């Protein structure tokens, strides 16, 4: 027993040291016990009623932003998108990097805010783990929807259904890398706006220009400028009107959007996605994992209240009364806190068999293993990457076997001295099996089994079922034939723009080439109205078209356009800044393969057209 106690003491020191290490420096202030969740008085501005889009001014506090900005760089991985048949894939449609955020007190505070925004009825289990996405120069996220277009693969009832809503918040919009920690504003970020091409909202008031690119063409929909701390909220699914026949809710195509390329500087955004139903156990990372579990207080705010492990271990080692008190002190959390329940059970059994020294030693050692596993740093047992879960689980398992061997050798030596060889050998074999099984069970609860079930469900930034990446809509890009609805929208939209530009081009032809009667006085209005009517048709939800088209074509056009930015006359210095801030030149008007219109008439046409959002 003396040896075991020494082992306990060593374990305590090791665990305490690791517990200390696990908190990154930048996170300390927010993870300390005196952190309290205070929601900022953010303002809500309605952008669109249908689809519901709201602009949230000041959604994140400065402290929250700097905490999120200072996450270790290594945690960001190349973003993946949902592939066909439920797989995920890395694709040029998303060149940014992303990571999920550990659910510390600060992150849970932001989660609570996101839930409160959506009413008080959405349980936290509907929230996907919060995702950060980081863009450097030239990085972008092409047009996509956040709702899963391939619902059968990503949005079954068992997977929590589809994404009801999205909140995209600007965590950082500044120059340089987050490593410098100088997230002081967005003065040096250019590009990186969030564009909703199918949003049909006339934002005429000048006050919008702080948040949207007022200099943008009407046909481009709405481009939100990346303003630190602000966020966009939108609803992804159409209201159920009976036409879905009790089937899955349909996604709203008007929520198509893109993260436009960053030209210079760095942008970090944050995705908070809410599902229709609770996510399966394990996806949120800390719900059914006894080693990672953080109980929820009665008030609904999350509180991390584990019993210090040395205290827990002393309960296990000494006597029933402590075990009982431990049991009662855990009463409120029993159902959610399997770890403590298991430890208490070990203590109770140990107490009941106190007279049997051998059994006592074994049970105690099991308690030690349990507590040792529990005392390991959370990134170790609740790692952010699934492969680390596996590695750690395997390593811990081997450690347990070794530990069991050691104890049994000690017991064996003692027993041999007492000349009870036969009995000892039986006990050694029994101990090995028992402890190995116990260790496996503990590890299973601790993350191994959740990691195996359904692939990757632990918190992490590797491909994980429906939670760790932006999957929405990107199955379109993977499989051409699935692209149809959104492609069609984009192609038709492109055609409308094309047509409009063509008309303008015609109008700009020298007079001698148009010897016929001058156009009626309202011709300009007609020109503008016709495409606008067409655009409005496009923006109707659920409109289906059958002509084939390619989303990539539009992306190629955008790239071409960025390579050759247009110089346009600007009337206001703020307009120039606004334009520069999102790097939105006029979009190309021709399909790939067709010659680009000549620059001069195109510019002349643009100059003649009062189609920007900003009104005089
Ligand atoms: O970066 C942006 O502006 C938008 C990002 C986005 O839509 C996403 O991550 O799903
Ligand atoms: Fe998105």
């Amino acid at each position: 027993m003396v040896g075991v106690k020494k082992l306990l003491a060593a374990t305590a020191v090791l665990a305490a040291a690791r517990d200390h290490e696990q908190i990154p420096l930048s996170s300390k202030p927010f993870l300390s016990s005196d952190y309290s969740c205070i929601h900022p008085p953010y303002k809500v501005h309605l952008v669109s009623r249908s689809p519901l889009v709201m602009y949230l001014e000041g959604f994140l506090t400065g402290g929250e932003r700097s905490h999120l900005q200072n996450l270790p760089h290594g945690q960001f991985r190349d973003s993946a998108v949902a592939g066909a048949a439920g797989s995920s894939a890395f694709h040029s449609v998303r060149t940014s990097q992303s990571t999920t955020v550990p659910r510390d007190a600060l992150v849970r505070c932001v989660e609570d805010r996101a839930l409160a925004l959506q009413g008080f009825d959405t349980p936290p289990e509907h929230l996907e783990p919060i995702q950060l996405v980081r863009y450097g120069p030239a990085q972008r996220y092409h047009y996509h929807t956040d709702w899963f277009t391939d619902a059968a693969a990503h949005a079954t009832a068992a997977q929590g259904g589809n994404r009801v809503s999205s909140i995209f918040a600007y965590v950082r919009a500044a120059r340089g890398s987050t490593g410098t920690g100088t997230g002081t504003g967005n003065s040096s970020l250019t590009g990186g706006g969030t564009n909703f091409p199918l949003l049909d909202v006339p934002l005429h008031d000048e006050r919008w220009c702080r948040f949207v690119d007022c200099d943008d063409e009407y046909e481009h929909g709405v481009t939100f400028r990346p303003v630190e701390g602000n966020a966009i909220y939108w609803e992804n699914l159409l209201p159920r009107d009976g036409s879905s026949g009790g089937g899955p809710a349909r996604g709203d195509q008007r929520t198509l959007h893109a993260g436009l390329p960053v030209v210079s500087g760095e942008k970090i955004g944050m995705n908070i996605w809410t599902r229709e139903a609770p996510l399966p156990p394990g996806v949120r990372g800390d719900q059914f994992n006894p080693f990672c579990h953080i109980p929820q207080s009665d008030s609904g705010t999350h509180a991390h209240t584990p019993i210090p492990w040395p205290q827990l271990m002393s309960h296990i080692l000494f006597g029933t009364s402590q075990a009982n008190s431990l049991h009662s002190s855990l009463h409120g959390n029993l159902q959610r806190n399997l770890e403590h329940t298991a430890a208490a059970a070990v203590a109770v059994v140990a107490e009941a068999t106190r007279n049997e020294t051998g059994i006592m030693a074994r049970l105690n050692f099991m308690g030690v293993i349990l507590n040792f596993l529990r005392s390991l740093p959370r990134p170790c047992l609740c790692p952010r990457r699934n492969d680390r879960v596996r590695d750690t689980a395997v390593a811990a398992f081997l450690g347990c076997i070794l530990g069991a061997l050691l104890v049994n050798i000690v017991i064996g030596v003692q027993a041999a001295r007492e000349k009870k060889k036969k009995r000892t050998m039986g006990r050694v074999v029994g101990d090995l099996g028992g402890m190995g099984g116990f260790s496996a069970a503990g590890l299973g609860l601790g993350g191994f089994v959740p990691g195996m079930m359904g692939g990757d469900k632990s918190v992490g930034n590797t491909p994980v079922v429906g939670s760790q990446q932006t999957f929405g809509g990107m199955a379109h890009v993977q499989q051409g034939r699935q692209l149809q609805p959104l492609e069609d929208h984009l192609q038709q939209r492109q055609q409308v723009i094309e047509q409009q530009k063509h008309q303008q081009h015609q109008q700009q032809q020298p007079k001698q080439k148009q010897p016929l009667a001058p156009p009626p006085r309202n011709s300009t209005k007609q020109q503008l109205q016709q495409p606008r009517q067409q655009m409005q048709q496009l923006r109707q939800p659920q409109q289906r078209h059958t002509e084939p088209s390619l989303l990539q074509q539009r992306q190629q056009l955008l790239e071409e356009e960025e390579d050759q930015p247009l110089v346009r006359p600007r009337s206001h210095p703020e307009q120039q800044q606004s334009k520069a801030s999102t790097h939105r030149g006029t979009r190309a008007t021709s399909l790939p393969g067709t010659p680009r219109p000549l620059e001069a008439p195109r510019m002349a046409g643009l100059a003649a057209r009062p189609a920007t959002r900003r009104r005089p």
Side-chain angles (χ1 to χ4, degrees), residues 141 144-146 166 168 234 257 271 273 470:
Y141 190 0
H144 66 280
T145 59
D146 285 353
S166 299
F168 185 75
W234 69 93
H257 60 282
N271 281 304
W273 290 302
T470 301

Side-chain angles (χ1 to χ4, degrees), residues 94 96 131 133 135 140-142 144-146 163 166 168 170 192-196 224 232 234 257-260 267 269-271 273 470:
R94 197 179 184 190
S96 54
Q131 185 195 59
V133 55
Y135 303 81
R140 61 162 62 181
Y141 190 0
H142 290 249
H144 66 280
T145 59
D146 285 353
R163 287 172 173 158
S166 299
F168 185 75
Y170 300 103
T194 309
N195 175 240
F196 288 76
F224 294 97
I232 315 158
W234 69 93
H257 60 282
L260 299 177
K267 167 180 149 191
M270 179 175 72
N271 281 304
W273 290 302
T470 301

Side-chain angles (χ1 to χ4, degrees), residues 450-486:
M452 299 281 284
M453 282 175 1
D456 307 277
K457 287 186 179 175
S458 61
V459 174
N461 53 10
T462 48
V464 178
V465 177
S467 66
Q468 310 304 320
Q469 301 144 35
T470 301
F471 289 94
M474 281 302 110
H476 290 306
V477 181
Q478 299 288 318
Q479 287 195 331
R481 61 190 160 77
Q482 291 182 26
L483 254 168
Q484 210 59 34
L486 294 182

Side-chain angles (χ1 to χ4, degrees), residues 274 434 437 492 545 564 575 583:
T274 305
Q492 295 221 0
H545 306 279
Q564 304 174 33
Q575 278 183 306
H583 190 63

Side-chain angles (χ1 to χ4, degrees), residues 170 189-195 211-216 223-226 260-263 562 575-585 587:
Y170 300 103
L189 173 80
T190 52
T194 309
N195 175 240
F211 313 128
V212 303
D213 183 0
C214 287
D215 207 21
D216 207 356
T223 299
F224 294 97
R225 301 168 58 200
L260 299 177
V262 164
V263 177
E562 279 144 17
Q575 278 183 306
Q576 292 189 22
Q577 188 176 346
S578 171
K579 176 61 80 181
S581 71
T582 50
H583 190 63
R584 292 290 310 276
R587 295 301 184 211

